[in-house]
Amino acid sequence: MKSQQELLSSIHFCVIVPTYNNQKTLKKVLDSILDFTTNIIIVNDGSTDSTSEILKSYSQVTQIHHPKNLGKGRALRNGFRKALELGFEYAITIDSDGQHFAADIPVFLKAIQDEPNALLIGSRNMTQENVPKKSSFGNKFSNFWFKFETGIKLDDTQSGFRLYPLRLLPKRFFTNKFEFEIEVIVRAAWKGIVVKNIPIQVLYDPAERVSHFRPFQDFTRISILNTVLVTNALLYIKPRDFFRRAKKKGFKKFFLEDILESNDSNFKKSAAIALGIFIGLSPFWGFQTVLLFTFAALFRLNKVIAYLTSNVSFPPFIPFIIYASLQVGSVFVSSETPLVLDSSITLDDIQKNATQYIVGSLILATVSALSVGFISYLLLTAFSSKNKTNI
């Protein structure tokens, strides 16, 4: 087992410290980091207090000074850029508000030895004394959306004490404020980088700690970012990952092992099939994928099964689905211009019968989903019983 000094010298890392008006705690934070390494990049993000004066006595560390406040995200991005220019492989980021302990730096390095190229986030004990309720709520909120967007469950997604594998991160980012720390971990996970928590110490001292988080403005920014990330996850990332897994394993093997032989009960499998059929036949064109993954996540149903069966609305079948919906709807909604499925049908004809179509498609989707779901349950049960008999 390596000694702490061997560990510190065996990994080419630096520590990035973004700071903005933290004059009370900055010196203590920098001095504590210097006990472990001189590879420090301090980013003064336009501080208007005595930060610049304090930093004059730290000529041994790399300094970046923003002429005005650009936001924590921009400070981190510029810190990453400088770290890459200096040839570092990893960057540990630590806030300058004094809540983190530099003594945990070796904890990150030990973890990265066990799992190289991972992105590590320090996990704080959010139940301890003096933790602001808004911080605890915000962390739970962020954890929920991170899991929805990536499928990865974390206990802390907002800690600023992190280790980044610099060369593996996305080359381009789009956010500059606090929301950057969400963007970077979500997009890293989408690239296939392992994102995980490691336990760290934390200190919340109300007398010294200064938070620059603006509840309304920053929460709005984070909400907008999560909306964009969720949309991208539903429309592109999740379908992409599904086809990648299927292609890598082989579609037949993937179907048999990951779908039919999943740990879900036959009822939940058939419910996922029913959900896919309902969404595929429903009139929510343009929103079907979003609705599918939202309801699959809400009811904890197999997303793969649901997505596959939703393709009942595969483009060649769409005219027949629309016509069937109109026919079903005509039983419940009268129309002065009944449709005939031939080459003369136009979009205007369908628009004139919109109510008939919507009512009919919802009824068709419901009946088809229940019927196919019930039949699937019977077949899956019979298939399972047959397999048990053959064992």
Side-chain angles (χ1 to χ4, degrees), residues 264-282:
D264 290 338
S265 65
N266 289 335
F267 175 79
K268 293 200 75 172
K269 289 177 186 175
S270 57
I273 292 172
L275 174 65
I277 294 293
F278 178 82
I279 295 295
L281 296 178
S282 66

Side-chain angles (χ1 to χ4, degrees), residues 59-71:
S59 58
Q60 73 272 43
V61 307
T62 301
Q63 298 185 22
I64 299 172
H65 293 269
H66 293 168
K68 63 179 181 178
N69 180 247
L70 301 177

Side-chain angles (χ1 to χ4, degrees), residues 238-255:
K238 291 184 184 293
R240 179 203 69 179
D241 291 346
F242 163 71
F243 284 110
R244 281 182 177 178
R245 291 196 305 271
K247 184 178 180 181
K248 185 176 181 179
K249 183 173 283 190
F251 285 97
K252 182 178 179 181
K253 187 177 181 182
F254 179 76
F255 180 78

Side-chain angles (χ1 to χ4, degrees), residues 340-345:
V340 177
L341 186 62
D342 59 23
S343 58
S344 65
I345 192 170

Side-chain angles (χ1 to χ4, degrees), residues 170-239:
K171 303 300 180 186
R172 185 182 178 192
F173 293 101
F174 303 96
T175 54
N176 294 316
K177 306 293 185 180
F178 283 101
E179 70 274 15
F180 170 79
E181 290 183 299
I182 297 173
E183 179 193 358
V184 65
I185 61 174
V186 171
R187 294 183 58 208
W190 286 350
K191 282 193 68 178
I193 298 172
V194 173
V195 181
K196 61 187 295 187
N197 282 139
I198 60 169
I200 59 168
Q201 308 169 75
V202 66
L203 171 67
Y204 279 91
D205 187 346
E208 289 192 342
R209 185 171 181 266
V210 177
S211 174
H212 300 292
F213 186 86
R214 300 164 301 173
F216 179 76
Q217 297 97 319
D218 291 316
F219 190 77
T220 300
R221 287 175 178 274
I222 290 170
S223 296
I224 293 171
L225 174 64
N226 276 318
T227 300
V228 173
L229 293 175
V230 165
T231 302
N232 192 37
L234 293 175
L235 296 181
Y236 174 66
I237 299 297
K238 291 184 184 293

Side-chain angles (χ1 to χ4, degrees), residues 87-140:
F88 291 108
E89 185 176 1
Y90 296 101
I92 293 176
T93 61
I94 185 169
D95 294 336
S96 62
D97 59 5
Q99 69 166 294
H100 302 306
F101 291 82
D104 281 326
I105 288 175
V107 176
F108 282 91
L109 300 181
K110 174 65 172 61
I112 207 64
Q113 276 202 324
D114 297 335
E115 194 156 18
N117 298 323
L119 193 162
L120 306 176
I121 304 173
S123 179
R124 302 161 294 176
N125 178 6
M126 301 300 288
T127 62
Q128 72 181 54
E129 187 180 3
N130 292 327
V131 175
K133 289 184 178 180
K134 65 180 181 180
S135 296
S136 180
F137 169 79
N139 194 46
K140 290 177 181 177

